[in-house]
Amino acid sequence: MTAPIPPLDPEMLLRAYAIGVFPMADSRDAPSVYWVEPKRRAILPLDSFHLSKSLRKTLLSERFETTANRAFGEVVRLCAESVEDRPATWINGQIEAAVTTLHASGHAYSIETWEYGELVGGLYGIALGQGFFGESMFSRAANASKIALAHLVARMRAGGYTLLDCQFMTPHLASLGAVEIGRDAYVALLDTAVSGAVSGSGELGDFFAFDAPDPLGATVTETVSGPKSGWRIAQALVHTS
């Protein structure tokens, strides 16, 4: 009889992120995970997000509706789904279960991009202190994941975050302003970002600060944000840079 696969301890997972380590699996059906600590780390400096003319135009067109934390489970599932340009995935059942538990405890969040009511793009990640650790993103329509990342950066700026960890560099991330740094430089940024969470004192990021009332009548919610207009996201990226 095959022994049951032990679940990942969510608290252990948070401790791993706090020291710069994260889990991956060989495939969706892999029975276990391995732990990764890259020598070179991709981060996206929050004041260096590249809002291209074409992306700004897409935001202002209001073609997409974008939300936060509305469909976390579906975002994770779609990130783990095999598609033509990404036939393999590193998100197995252990990871999915652990991040779902972290979501329930307020340590994991998602951004969703919708087109005509259909979820066509999004991302999810782990929040700890003033750091956000981007785990994965997906796109089923042109620019859908870029819209989600623009929303995330605007939200992180409003919430007082200092570190957006992208794990590994890709051309897609580089086009949006991500840079690659060495381990020592990353650990220095990481220590500053998570020190408040680890010590139990100090500043913590507020993922929902972006939902504070504004002149357009946005409302505050504790767990799920309402749709954010592309105009507001574009303005936030311009005015806080």
Side-chain angles (χ1 to χ4, degrees):
M1 180 180 296
T2 303
I5 299 170
L8 284 177
D9 179 359
E11 290 300 321
M12 180 185 69
L13 197 55
L14 288 179
R15 291 195 296 271
Y17 282 102
I19 61 172
V21 179
F22 56 88
M24 297 184 74
D26 285 324
S27 68
R28 179 66 169 156
D29 299 322
S32 61
V33 302
Y34 56 92
W35 297 91
V36 182
E37 184 181 21
K39 293 181 179 179
R40 303 286 296 174
R41 199 81 168 223
I43 64 167
L44 203 165
L46 297 177
D47 59 355
S48 299
F49 181 80
H50 179 53
L51 182 62
S52 67
K53 290 182 179 179
S54 61
L55 181 56
R56 184 174 186 273
K57 183 177 179 180
T58 300
L59 281 166
L60 296 180
S61 74
E62 302 291 3
R63 170 188 167 193
F64 297 109
E65 182 180 80
T66 178
T67 57
N69 235 30
R70 176 172 289 184
F72 182 87
E74 193 170 358
V75 168
V76 175
R77 180 182 63 79
L78 288 169
C79 284
E81 191 176 78
S82 296
V83 291
E84 184 176 350
D85 60 348
R86 191 184 61 184
T89 179
W90 55 268
I91 303 170
N92 71 349
Q94 281 182 305
I95 292 173
E96 184 174 6
V99 298
T100 299
T101 300
L102 289 178
H103 171 66
S105 66
H107 284 291
Y109 302 106
S110 60
I111 301 289
E112 302 92 20
T113 304
W114 309 83
E115 186 176 30
Y116 307 119
E118 180 183 357
L119 184 59
V120 294
L123 59 84
Y124 80 94
I126 311 300
L128 185 64
Q130 293 177 307
F132 188 89
F133 306 90
E135 287 290 286
S136 187
M137 63 173 61
F138 77 95
S139 185
R140 301 292 187 269
N143 293 315
S145 62
K146 290 183 178 180
I147 295 293
L149 190 56
H151 183 171
L152 175 66
V153 171
R155 186 167 288 273
M156 289 183 65
R157 288 179 174 181
Y161 289 87
T162 62
L163 172 65
L164 174 49
D165 177 13
C166 302
Q167 297 182 347
F168 299 109
M169 180 63 80
T170 66
H172 177 69
L173 289 170
S175 72
L176 294 168
V179 297
E180 198 173 51
I181 60 176
R183 184 183 181 279
D184 290 346
Y186 173 76
V187 168
L189 294 173
L190 175 66
D191 287 346
T192 299
V194 304
S195 59
V198 172
S199 67
S201 62
E203 295 293 326
L204 302 177
D206 181 358
F207 193 78
F208 295 102
F210 194 55
D211 301 319
D214 67 21
L216 298 180
T219 57
V220 176
T221 57
E222 293 183 358
T223 58
V224 179
S225 83
K228 287 293 173 287
S229 72
W231 180 89
R232 188 179 180 201
I233 293 169
Q235 289 297 103
L237 292 173
V238 171
H239 289 171
T240 57
S241 60

